[in-house]
Amino acid sequence: MPQLSVVGGKKESASDRLAARIAAEEDRGLLRFLTCGSVDDGKSTLIGRLLYDSALVLEDQLLSMERDSKRPNATQGGEIDLSLLVDGLQAEREQGITIDVAYRYFSTPRRKFIVADTPGHVQYTRNMATGASNCDFGVLLVDARQGVLTQTRRHACILSLLGIRKVAVAVNKMDLIDFDQARFEAIAEEFAEFARPLGFELITSIPCSALRGDNVTSPSPHMHWYHGPTLLAHLETVDVSHRVTNAPFRFPVQWVNRPHLDFRGYAGTVASGSIKTGDEVVIHPSGKHVHVARIVTADGDLERAEEGDAVTLTFAEEVDASRGDVIAAAMPETAPSVSDQIAAKVIWFDEEAMLPGRAYTIKCGSQATTATISALKYKLNVDSLDHVAGKTLELNEVGLCNISLARPLVFDPYGDNAETGSFILIDRFTNATVAAGMIEFGLRRATNVQWQELFIDKSARATLKGQKPCVLWFTRLSGSGKSTIANTLEKRLHALGRHTYMLDGDNVRHGLNKDLGFTDADRVENIRRVAEAARLFVDAGLIVMVSFISPFRSERRMARELVGEGEFIEIFVDTPLEVCEARDPKGLYRKARAGLIRNFTGIDSSYEPPEQAELALSTSNTSPEPWSRCWSTSSGVATSSSQNLQALGRAGMAFPGGIFVPGGGDGGVGVDAVDAGMIQHFPVIGEGELVGGLGVTLFRQACEQTPCRGELTFAEQHLGALV
Amino acid sequence: MKHRLSSYLRQLEAESIHIMREVVAEFRNPVMLYSIGKDSAVMLHLAMKAFYPAKPPFPLLHVDTTWKFREMIAFRDREAQRLGVDLMVHTNEQGKREGMSPITHGSALYTDVMKTEALKQAFAAHGFDAAFGGARRDEEKSRAKERVFSFRNAAHNWDPKRQRPELWHLANTKVKPGESMRVFPLSNWTELDVWTYIYLENIPVVPLYFADKRPVVERGGTLIMVDDERLPLDPGETPEMAKVRFRTLGCYPLTGAIRSDATTVPEIIDELIASRHSERQGRVIDHDQTGSMEKKKQEGYF
Ligand SMILES: Nc1nc2c(ncn2[C@@H]2O[C@H](COP(=O)(O)OP(=O)(O)OP(=O)(O)O)[C@@H](O)[C@H]2O)c(=O)[nH]1
Ligand SMILES: [Mg+2]
């Protein structure tokens, strides 16, 4: 039974002791470090050893470690396995490897430590980077038997990229090579040679045995030839004081605090430098100059706030700042950069490779916008540190990229300020964090970005043509009927006196895009060019039909964002694969099945159906007018066939505006489909509510241009009305 | 009286405040899980600071299993009133109707129904997309592995093998409908940091943390407090009045007391430094099997 007792002399009270401890802590300083290196080099064992020898392991933790060390799959054959103190996940204990970072907090009389024990396995490199990103110091382990491996070099590169300037190389498992001095020196020499271009300020090599405890917390009795510090002694004394002492003031606005009309404060954490009340500051990117009125905290107003303080600022002047703005010192020479094109080192974390041209969400401080990798300048060979040419970055690869942004970003180079110079990239569909980046510099200053002023603009051209320009983007598998529908539609529009243009996948690949193949990267570039071409035609005032497989949602979204609101109409030609394959008008499916064509969408390359197309057409009932069976928009659907409804339900499309079920067709079937549970999340609306219920802005805009003609069939009416 | 914080505690405080503001800025409908213990007390105190002069722009949620210490419930209501925050209490009503009890149903099933399930119900009912929790990485070795922004799928599961990378202070806060984020602003605090902060900031905590004479019975080496008449006593078992306190607070039949004379925070800290046991040892549910905390978390336990 736990029986706790109070320690210490009688005279001194508990609160005196506490006050003394707090005072001692103030002088002690903090070191954040990580252990890294190749898999199985002994990182977790080393941390376990540090904690164990510093008597920081509690009794119940010790018991559970001893119990687990004896389990059948234990790696140390019944001997106590210190890595179990940090490898806290079930899967880690079963496989004997580290999967994700473990954080441990401990202190010695000289220093306080936060250690991140990171995984060595190449598959989990992103977790190593996670652990390293907030550290000031790295302990890189090398297994004395194996020497410096590719993964050792990769981790060294990442440490250097993240700005860690000092490392210790712990040459571990010396017990297994008879504490051989020559071998230790050879490894230390090899690493120093390799790491020279990485620019570490200090590399300290320490021979040790994590398992036996040699040179971890106490000097080894087996290596009298070594006169350097033990690992712990080094950790306690190494100087990692901050690089920049009087950095310029940076304050990313995190949240606007507006509890009532008389208070408007800007909450955030000072990223660097300091600020006093009365100081003049600049709000970027707007460039407005204001003065700090108050530095508000719950413990009373401050005179001054400095790096790391979480405060709320108010200004003397009326201003409108918001989340994402960066408040900086009002000295032009130290102003942050503002640019919509940047060059950055990127570490790729995702199984799916980086695709130039694809749009990602970028998050930099409290700013978020859309980013596209415009070029991969080079990638890094982690073994030789050579720069090699490449088109994409695969999992764990590092490269220098040019990135263009939908909105200008306020930043500093990472080397000057890690808080305002770092970012992550997020996949816009899976929401995975796919990369981390460190900004090198801006490629052009946003203030210099000026569009050539044009006197005749889009609306002038459109007015002359008497139409509203737009892109009708047809997407789906080969053979789904995209081109047929687009062609028929174009004929009809032409007959109505509309000015149109058609961009067809096959045709464009014969010209503009004849240099592109069918890899994912080339497909993305293919769509990017077509989207840009479509944008030009819309600008020219035309109704543009684009008929491309365009299998990925992110590229279609990119195309959508190139044109104005309401100018992009995504048309999902929802023909099932079996039907396309049965039709096989160009014999391509047969070839793909025979393995003659690779990367064929639907066969060995995926198609991502739209989540919210403006229009979904079903052509599976062989009808002379293919679209006549079904009509839907992002806010509603109308159909005359239950199969169509079911297909839409299966495609996972949402129609918050409701389903319209007209009379005729197989009548009432929409209701059956709803009853059958195929479609749950949208209400059925009646015929009379069609226009209002669908509520599509497109519909209204379209009606202004093209009078609905009563003699057209139901679907033609609306498709015609769309344009 | 308030004391000056050490620069390290100020750093921890600022980091937690930063995390809370990030959640409020990025999520539609956040909630703070308030479990009444010392960590929740610190978390709530930090929330009062983070949004000052505004009140925290989210409600507190207490998942009431109906087996909490009575003093905890009284403290909860007092604090909510004192601070003027919006407190919601959720109980798994079906579990309550079925008489779910840690004594008759075993701690595993009981925890699942009255905590994990109850939490999911509250999420479903209110459509929360983010929830603050007071967990710390130094509490337990699977917690030591968890991100500050910890993603949960639509079934509230944690997938420890596929956590999102979390670099610098940049959180990926994206969730799809139904998915959510558990956010742990105290991730980097240790038990000692929490107590020191409570002392320096003069934060009220439930009196059960301080030693006092309380009726307890000893079962399998654990001291259980007889908080009400629902705890069945074995024939011949009589509660003993002992000077005890709690290192962690939960459902009273599942929470072990320790014999102690510590009646002030500095005395608690003295004990803590002298102690050779980790705090979760007092929690019966963590001992069911090795890796049990991780398993519960995967299933949606906080
Ligand atoms: N003989 C000997 N064995 C060691 C030493 N250090 C670690 N080991 C053993 O090496 C194996 C791997 O140790 P870990 O600590 O799990 O290695 P790790 O570097 O943390 O591995 P990952 O985290 O999976 O990359 C275990 O069986 C350890 O007991 C050492 O100094 N000498
Ligand atoms: Mg390890």
Side-chain angles (χ1 to χ4, degrees), chain A residues 154-165:
Chain A
R154 178 176 289 119
H155 279 188
C157 285
I158 294 175
L159 292 180
S160 151
L161 276 176
L162 290 173
I164 292 177
R165 299 269 68 97

Side-chain angles (χ1 to χ4, degrees), chain A residues 214-228:
Chain A
D214 298 75
N215 285 339
V216 179
T217 59
S218 54
S220 166
H222 303 106
M223 291 181 273
H224 294 297
W225 46 264
Y226 174 74
H227 304 293

Side-chain angles (χ1 to χ4, degrees), chain A residues 38-45 75-76 83 87 96-98 118-121 172-173 175-176 209-211:
Chain A
S38 188
V39 68
D40 265 355
D41 284 353
K43 299 176 286 298
S44 305
T45 309
T75 51
Q76 274 305 318
S83 71
D87 286 340
I97 61 162
T98 303
T118 71
H121 198 290
N172 189 33
K173 307 198 187 180
D175 55 309
L176 295 180
S209 168
L211 189 70

Side-chain angles (χ1 to χ4, degrees), chain A residues 73 79 101 129 204 219 324 339 342 456 469 471 476 508 521 540 584 615 646 684 712:
Chain A
N73 46 7
E79 238 186 288
V101 211
T204 310
S339 176
I342 54 172
I456 307 299
V471 182
R476 189 53 178 144
V508 172
D584 205 4
L615 190 63
Q646 292 181 2
V684 174
L712 288 179

Side-chain angles (χ1 to χ4, degrees), chain A residues 140-141 176 242 384 394-395 428 467 512 549 556 598 634 669:
Chain A
L140 188 64
L141 273 85
L176 295 180
H242 265 303
S384 62
E394 308 272 346
L395 177 67
R428 300 203 296 171
Q467 62 187 33
L512 179 62
I549 296 174
R556 296 194 299 264
R598 291 198 33 225
S634 58
V669 286

